[in-house]
Amino acid sequence: MKDKFDCIVVGAGPAGISAALTLVRAGLKTVVIERGEYPGTKNVMGGILYTRPLEELIPEFWKEAPLERHIIEQRVMLVSKDASTSFSYKSKQLDEPPYNSYSIMRATFDRWFASKAESAGAIIINETLVESLIVENDKVIGVRTGRADGELYADLVIDAEGVNSILARDLGLHPEIPEHNVALAVKEILALPREVIEARFNLKAEQGTAIELVGDISAGMMGIGFIYTNKESLSLGIGCLISDLRKSGMQPYDLLDRFKEHPMIQPLIEGAQTKEYSAHLIPEGGYRAIPPLCADGFLVAGDAAGLVNSVHREGSNLAITSGRLAAQTVIEAKKKNDFTCRALSLYKKLLDQSFVMKDLKKYRNFPAIMEKNKHFFTTYPSLLSDSAYEMIKVDGVPKKTKQWKIIKNFIKGRSLWGLVKDGFNLLRAIG
Amino acid sequence: MHIVVCIKQVPDSTQVKIDPVTNTLMRQGVPSIINPYDIFAIEEALRIKDKFGAKITAISMGPPQAKDALKKAVSLGIDEAVLLSDRAFAGADTLATSYCLACGIKALNKENPVDLVICGKQTVDGDTAQVGPGIAVRLGFSQLTYIEKIEKIDFERKEIFVYRHAEKGKQYLKSRLPAVITVLDGINELRYAPLPELFRAARYQVKAWDKKLIEIDENLCGMKGSPTAVKRVFAPTPRQRGEMVSFNERNPEETARALTEKLLINKNG
Amino acid sequence: MAKNSKGKIIVEIIKNKCIGCSNCIPVCPPDALFMKDGIAELDIEKCIGCGKCVKVCPTNAIIIEKAIKKEPQIEPLVSAQKSSIAAYKGIWVFIEQEHNAPHPVSWELIGEARRLALKLSAAVSAVILGGKKEELEVFAREAMQFGADSVYMASSESLLEYRTKPYAEGLVQIVNKYKPEILLIGATTLGRDLAGAVATRLKAGLTADCTGLEINTENLFLEMTRPTFGGNVMATIFCENVRPQMATVRPHVMPMPKKDAARVGKIIFDDLKLPEAEIDTKVIEFIVDAVCSDSGLHYADVIVSGGRGMGKAENFSVLRELAFVLCGAVGASRAAVDAGWVDHSYQIGQTGVTVRPRLYIACGISGSIQHRMGMQCSDCIVAINTDKNAPIFDIATYGIVADAIKFVPVLTKIFREKLAGKNVFAGVEK
C-alpha cells in the first residue's frame, strides 16, 4: 500500500475501536489492524461493560448494541473451603435506564463496535499481525505487518494491541512485564437456559448479576473469581498472578475446575454445558506499573498501557476512555502537524484529568500490598465463614460468648498485631 | 478462463448446541464464518489462477449479512463476489439451494463463460454434501466430487484430470470442462494473502442479486421448491457410561483377550 | 388471545423456540413476518391471523389461539406428482459395489428396510448396477439372503467402473420405471455422489447421512433423523409431496442383519442403453489403498491416543505399536502435547483436531472437557486409566482401570495374535 494514513491503530479491541471512531469522526484517514479473524474473536474479558465511557462515544448505544443483561446486583462472595459469606448490593436505581453496566459477549459486542467505526469510515484489516514498527530518525512512521507487501505508513500509530504489547516494548517504553504484575485469567462460557439462570440468580428478564469471589477458590493465591450472568449463559472465570501460579505448580484449567466444583459454586452452574474456554493475561501492576505513554509518532492505550483497575476489576472502560483520549491527542497533533512526544504529552494530561488516572492513583498501593499479604485471600474468608456459622448456629451457647469465640478465632488466625496491620494496609490500599 | 467458487456463511458449528430442556437451538453469540471446507475450494481456485490466469467469482446464497463471508473471500484473493439474496430463497433445502445457485451461475456464465465451479466437500452446518452434485446436474456440467488432487487442467482442450477419493482407494479420472468439482479438506493449505488484497476487500462492494435480477422460477426456490422439511430438532443423546472390563492384575492377557473379543464382536455387529 | 389494533386475532412468536429457519417468512400472505437478529419477528399490524406460519414452523415457535381453519396446503412442488404418489410402492436399497466387492452398508440397509417394511406392509427390493451381469447375480442372491424380496438389476459396459453420469442415468431410469416409495443409499463417498445427482434429476427430496429412520404411523411418511451442526444437533426430516423419499444412511449405524441362505426371490433385469460416447468422464486408473495407509488423524478408522498418564515421550512407542497393528493413527491429549512428548499436530480436542474414528483407544487420558469435545463422536471408545474416577470412563464404551503403559503392550500382543495381519478395522470386514 503506497497510500499514507493519518493514523494506524493496532488492535480492534475497545481501546482501538474507540480511538478509530473518534479519529474518523474528525475526518482523519484511519486504518485498524487486528490479528483476530474478526474484532472480538481473540478478545477476552470477564464480560462486564460499563455504560458511561461508551456513551460518551455512542449516545444511547444500548438501544442497538448486542448486550446481554444489565447488572442490577453486585455481589462479593468470600469463600472458605465449604462455606461462603456474601455481601450484595442490589438497587432499583441499577434497574433503570441508563443502566450502569451490562454483561456482554466480546465476540458479538466487539464486532458490533468495530462495525460502527467501519461505517463511520475506518478501514478495518483483520487477521493481520503487526510485527514491528517502522522507525525513522527515532520517530515512528508506520508499521510492518506479517503479510506480503505489508508495510503501512502514517503520521501516528496508536498501540492498542493489549497486554504485554510487543510494540511498546520494542520501542523501549517498558521492559517485559514482571510476572508478579500480570495475572492469568481463565474463563468459560457455560450455557444454561434463560429460565434456569433467572431462577438461580433471582432475576427477571434482562436483569443480571455480577458476582466477584475471593477466598478458597484461588487455592491460596492472590486471585479473584467471577460469575456474570448473560442471556443464556454464564461467564465464569478466575484470575491469579502468574508468579503465584508458577509457585503453586497448578495449571490454570485445574484451578478453574476446582472453582467449578466448589460446593457453593457447583449448584449455580449445575447442568451447564461448556461452550467456550479461553485464557487471557491481565496487567495488574496498577498505577505504579504504567509505562511512558508516548514516543515520537506513537501512543499507547488500553491494556497495552497497563490501564487496568485491579480493585474494581475494570479494564474495558479505561480502555475505551484512553482510546478516545489518545485519538483526541492525535487530532490536536494533526492540526499542529507536530507528532513529537512533547506534543503528544497532551494525552497524559487528558488521562490525568479523567477518572482513569484518578482511580488508578487512588489504588496505587493495592497490588503491592495484596501481593505481600496473601492472607486476605486465605485466612479472612475462612474466618468470616466460621464466624457467620458460629452466629447462625443455634446450639444453646449465648451470642455474647459466641462473639468472644469469634474474636479469639480471628486473633488465633492472624494475631492481634496482624489484624491491626491488615486494617491499616487495607486502608492504605483502597483509602 | 472463469472459475466460480461456491461458498456459504455458516455459524461456527462447534458452538451451536441444543438446549436439552427446551429443545431449541442455542445460537446466541455464535459467530458466523465461511464454511471451513469452502476455504479449500477458494485456495484451489487461487492456485489455478496462479498457473493459468483466470477470473474467480465467489457466489453464495443467504441473508444479506452473508456479504461478510463474501468480503472475506475477496480478501483472500477472489476477484468478484455475488450474493443471491431474496426472501423467496429462504428456507431452502439442498434441492432448492442447488437450483438457486445454478441459476446464479448461469447468469454469471452469460457475462463470462464459466469453465469450472469449485465447491467445498460439504458445509459444517448442514453436512449434506449434496449441493455440489445438485449444481452439476442442473448446469449439465461434469460432476467430480471428493477430489483429492487436481492433476492437470487443459483449458484449450477443455479437459481436467483429477484424483477422486473412493471408498477403498482413489480413482484417477479424466473429464470434460465445464465441470463442478468438490474438493476434500486438506487438498491444499490456504495462503496468507498480501496486505493490498485486504484493503481491496475492505473497499469492495459485494454484488447482491435478488429474484428479479436473475432468471429464476420462484416456485423452485426457497421453501416452495424444497421437497423436504424439518419436523423437529433435538439434542443428541449424551454418550452413556459403558461397560467396565475388570482388570486381572495377575493375568492381564486374560483382560486383553476379553476386551479384544468385545471389540471384534462390536465391529461386526 | 392476542389481537392487534385492528382487532384481528394474530399469531405470537415464542422467541426462545425460534431456530431462525425462515420457513415462515415466504408463506405469510401479507408479508408480516421478517427476520431480525436471526429469529422471526412479527409486524402485528400486518398480521391477518391466517396461521399459515404456524403450520410450517418446525419447532412450534409460532402459536395462534384459535381453531385454525383448514388452509389449502402449500403449493406442492410438482402438482402432477401428488396425485401419483400412490403409484410409488416398496422400499428399495441401492447395493453399492465396486471392483466386485459390495459395501457392507448395503446389507445393513436391507436389514433396516425390512424393519420399516413391516410398518408399511411393503416389499423390500435391492437395486444393483454394474458392468458384469454374472457378478451382479451373486450379489443379488446375497441381497435376498439378507432380506430383499426381489432385486432390480441392470448392467452395461459403461457401468464397469463407478462414474456419476451413467450410474445416475441408470438409477433414474429404473426408478422412473418401477417407482419405489423409498430409496435408501449408503452414505459413502460413492453413495453421496450418486444420491445427490439422482435426487436432483428426479426432483426428489433427499436427506443426507441419516443415523435413524422411522415410519410415521399416522401419515406413513419416512422420518429421517440426522446429525447437523457437527453432531451437536439432531434433526428429523420428512418429505411430504414427492416420491421416492430418498435418504443416504451412515455406515455402521444400522445393525448387520443375519443371512438366511434359504431365502430366494425374483430378479428383474434391465439392459440399459448407456452409450459410452455420451459419458465425458473416463476412469484412467483405480489406485487401491495400501492395506495400512497412513491417512493421518483426520480419516483414521482407529486412533490410539495418549495423555498425561503415559508418563514420558518414550512411552508413546507402545501406542505407536498398537496403532500399527490396528492400522490406525496415534493421537494425544493436550497434557501430553504441553509436556512436549509429541507434536501439536497430534493433539485431539477443542484446540486440536476433531476426530470421529470407529475405534478410539484413550490411554492415560483423564478426559477433560477440552479433550472430549474432540473425540466424543467416535463410534467406540476404549479408556485405559489408573484413576477409576477419571471422567473419560463416563463416555467410554469399554473402560479398564489399569496402567496403560503396562497394559497396552499386552493388548497389542493379543490383537496381533487375533488379527494375524488382517486389516479388520480399516477395511471391509469379510
Side-chain angles (χ1 to χ4, degrees), chain A residues 188-191 260 272-277, chain B residues 17, chain C residues 369 373:
Chain A
E188 281 186 354
I189 303 277
L190 299 167
K260 285 164 68 183
Q273 274 187 323
T274 304
K275 262 179 81 182
E276 206 181 299
Y277 170 89
Chain B
K17 297 244 161 63
Chain C
I369 175 80
M373 282 172 102

Side-chain angles (χ1 to χ4, degrees), chain B residues 69-91:
Chain B
L70 286 163
K71 268 199 154 193
K72 171 85 190 280
V74 173
S75 79
L76 298 173
I78 298 289
D79 299 300
E80 300 281 344
V82 176
L83 176 67
L84 305 172
S85 194
D86 196 300
R87 278 171 158 205
F89 305 160

Side-chain angles (χ1 to χ4, degrees), chain C residues 93-172:
Chain C
V93 173
F94 175 77
I95 307 299
E96 174 178 337
Q97 60 84 25
E98 213 168 359
H99 299 120
N100 204 18
H103 196 290
V105 69
S106 310
W107 311 141
E108 292 166 13
L109 288 183
I110 289 182
E112 181 64 8
R114 274 258 68 93
R115 193 181 68 79
L116 299 173
L118 278 179
K119 305 190 178 174
L120 277 179
S121 316
V124 172
S125 304
V127 52
I128 307 180
L129 303 179
K132 293 196 187 114
K133 198 174 165 188
E134 335 54 272
E135 278 175 11
L136 298 185
E137 271 167 357
V138 177
F139 305 144
R141 280 195 293 276
E142 208 172 349
M144 290 186 283
Q145 288 166 356
F146 275 114
D149 298 311
S150 59
V151 178
Y152 294 90
M153 204 168 96
S155 69
S156 157
E157 269 293 299
S158 34
L159 296 173
L160 213 49
E161 295 269 358
Y162 174 76
R163 285 168 301 167
T164 317
K165 199 174 176 189
Y167 267 76
E169 175 63 34
L171 193 51
V172 165

